Amino acid sequence: MIYSRLTVLKKIPANELLALRRNTSVMISTTKHRFYLSLFFFMSGLSFSTWASRIPTIKAAFDFNEAELGSILLALPIGSLLGLPLSGWLVSKYNSRVPLTVGYGLNAFSLAFIGFAHNTFTLVVAVVLFAFTTRIFNISVNTQALTLQKQFEKKIVGSFHGYWSIGGIAGILLSTLLLGLDVSIHVHFAVVAVVMLVVTLYSYQFLLKGDRAETGNKLILSKPDPYIFYLGMVVFLCAICEGGMFDWSGIYFQEIIKVEIFTYGYLIFMTFMATSRFLSDLIVARFGMAKTYIMSALCIIFGIGLAVVFPLFWPAMIGFSLVGFGTAAIIPMSYALAGASKKYSAGMAISIIATYSITGMLLGPPLIGYLAHAFNLRVSFVIFALCGVLLIPITQMFFKHQKLSDKTD
């Protein structure tokens, strides 16, 4: 068998054999890039869910009411806004793996900082730093994902975001376990931070190199580009839903559903978000992006309606699962469409779209907190259903504009 294979190889011309070896090397390299980039998405989800799943712990430790907690959560999008111009500049100035690695390493430090915060001031500083570094990392890792997508015929962007959700599930499960064991928040966050640092230092060597775009790296100050504007509004509405569910699902199950293990709601939300993201590429291929946006919006509307109208354990679990399934595909689809912008490079387009996302994060969680304090938490969750309703006409306007611009070109 070995002899026959060697005989076949001898019959291949030297130049073709060299090309075959190069192609095999590229294939292995691309596979490694995808694996370690997926690992970063996974760890990012783990980091964020570690923070979000412990928000009820922080609320109880500092004795915050809903409005006060809403104000603390306001620090998250403010930190993201501060990191936005720097992240866009770094990705346009350097290869994205540099800000990706540095941003994620600092993100680990800031997560541990949150766990050791003992007063409101240090907590706010830690949360701002956490959001700031998350923003730098997110712009970089999504730039890497869009660059790697060009080396694959099938769509893979949705799967990356799926690994983020899987990381989120892992973080929630770990939090649930440690809560049951009565492990303190500072030990919990410190352990996760150490794991993040180890992964970052080892995985840096396997990230894409030389992905800086030569054109489209400057922000053009002019009338808003309709292509980017519509996508931005879609991401804005989705960010209100995602941010609100991340930060308030645990509180909802603790105070409205009245369950002792308050991570159930967040866990089911993230589980179905992960499922949807792994299926999103297949769903988009089968139905197209326009119909997938509509199906996503309907899942959000009916899911929130079920959880609000029937504030019981199983209706809420089913409702939160529908919301997770609905929100999951929206941002990956929007980022993929943004990467096809004719006006901006992929990194700059994502950075602009991220501005809308951060604004949604800015308004969503604090708005839920203030409405919950003024009325009640059930009423405040209706905001998510309203966002789902608005998603339908805005996505339709985007695809109409896309068709018109294609005809013009």
Side-chain angles (χ1 to χ4, degrees):
M1 181 70 71
I2 296 174
Y3 175 79
S4 61
R5 287 179 180 174
L6 289 174
T7 304
V8 172
L9 286 174
K10 286 179 181 179
K11 293 179 181 179
I12 301 175
N15 61 334
E16 292 184 14
L17 185 59
L18 181 60
L20 178 63
R21 288 173 178 169
R22 286 176 178 172
N23 288 337
T24 303
S25 177
V26 170
M27 185 182 298
I28 294 172
S29 178
T30 302
T31 302
K32 281 188 176 181
H33 287 321
R34 185 177 183 183
F35 175 81
Y36 284 99
L37 193 56
S38 298
L39 181 59
F40 267 109
F41 271 94
F42 174 88
M43 293 302 300
S44 177
L46 177 70
S47 168
F48 187 84
S49 66
T50 297
W51 139 257
S53 61
R54 281 286 202 162
I55 288 175
T57 303
I58 294 172
K59 181 177 183 290
F62 286 87
D63 196 25
F64 293 139
N65 61 36
E66 283 78 5
E68 290 169 338
L69 180 60
S71 298
I72 294 297
L73 296 177
L74 191 62
L76 202 67
I78 288 176
S80 291
L81 282 172
L82 293 173
L84 183 63
L86 178 61
S87 60
W89 177 80
L90 287 171
V91 171
S92 64
K93 184 75 173 176
Y94 304 101
N95 297 329
S96 60
R97 72 176 191 153
V98 175
L100 190 161
T101 306
V102 174
Y104 196 60
L106 292 175
N107 189 251
F109 167 77
S110 61
L111 179 65
F113 189 13
I114 292 173
F116 283 95
H118 292 295
N119 57 61
T120 303
F121 175 76
T122 55
L123 177 64
V124 170
V125 171
V127 171
V128 168
L129 182 60
F130 181 74
F132 181 85
T133 53
T134 298
R135 177 51 47 205
I136 294 174
F137 166 78
N138 279 344
I139 298 295
S140 306
V141 78
N142 278 287
T143 301
Q144 287 256 325
L146 290 178
T147 303
L148 189 59
Q149 171 68 82
K150 297 174 183 177
Q151 301 182 36
F152 288 83
E153 292 185 4
K154 65 177 183 179
K155 293 185 180 297
I156 62 171
V157 173
S159 67
F160 285 129
H161 290 267
Y163 283 112
W164 186 93
S165 298
I166 291 293
I169 294 170
I172 301 164
L173 290 174
L174 179 61
S175 296
T176 303
L177 173 64
L178 296 183
L179 280 168
L181 297 174
D182 199 27
V183 175
S184 65
I185 189 172
H186 63 273
V187 172
H188 178 187
F189 282 16
V191 169
V192 174
V194 170
V195 174
M196 290 168 64
L197 285 172
V198 171
V199 170
T200 302
L201 293 173
Y202 180 76
S203 302
Y204 171 78
Q205 60 187 311
F206 299 109
L207 296 174
L208 288 172
K209 302 176 183 178
D211 64 339
R212 179 184 178 274
E214 297 300 325
T215 59
N217 289 319
K218 293 184 178 180
L219 180 63
I220 302 171
L221 298 177
S222 61
K223 183 174 69 174
D225 177 18
Y227 186 94
I228 295 295
F229 175 74
Y230 286 133
L231 287 177
M233 289 304 299
V234 169
V235 170
F236 167 77
L237 294 170
C238 182
I240 291 178
C241 295
E242 278 198 24
M245 292 296 289
F246 289 150
D247 293 353
W248 287 98
S249 59
I251 305 295
Y252 194 89
F253 264 68
Q254 184 182 53
E255 298 184 0
I256 303 299
I257 309 301
K258 306 290 185 182
V259 293
E260 185 177 350
I261 306 298
F262 52 76
T263 52
Y264 282 144
Y266 191 16
L267 177 60
I268 197 69
F269 172 76
M270 290 295 292
T271 299
F272 276 81
M273 176 176 275
T275 303
S276 178
R277 282 182 168 166
F278 280 110
L279 294 175
S280 64
D281 292 328
L282 295 174
I283 294 172
V284 169
R286 175 66 178 83
F287 297 102
M289 284 192 176
K291 290 182 179 178
T292 303
Y293 272 121
I294 293 175
M295 290 188 291
S296 297
L298 292 175
C299 283
I300 294 171
I301 295 166
F302 288 114
I304 287 297
L306 186 61
V308 169
V309 175
F310 302 101
L312 303 170
F313 181 79
W314 284 113
M317 289 286 280
I318 296 170
F320 276 34
S321 67
L322 284 173
V323 178
F325 198 89
T327 56
I330 294 175
I331 287 182
M333 284 193 298
S334 301
Y335 278 5
L337 288 168
S341 170
K342 299 173 183 177
K343 190 173 183 179
Y344 296 106
S345 67
M348 185 55 68
I350 291 174
S351 183
I352 297 170
I353 294 295
T355 307
Y356 291 89
S357 174
I358 294 166
T359 306
M361 291 285 185
L362 175 68
L363 294 177
L367 180 61
I368 296 298
Y370 298 142
L371 288 175
H373 187 68
F375 302 101
N376 61 63
L377 196 56
R378 286 176 63 194
V379 171
S380 67
F381 267 47
V382 175
I383 292 294
F384 303 147
L386 178 60
C387 290
V389 171
L390 292 174
L391 278 169
I392 297 175
I394 293 175
T395 54
Q396 296 307 296
M397 285 189 285
F398 167 79
F399 287 108
K400 286 181 181 178
H401 169 76
Q402 187 184 46
K403 287 181 180 178
L404 287 173
S405 61
D406 288 343
K407 287 180 180 179
T408 303
D409 293 339

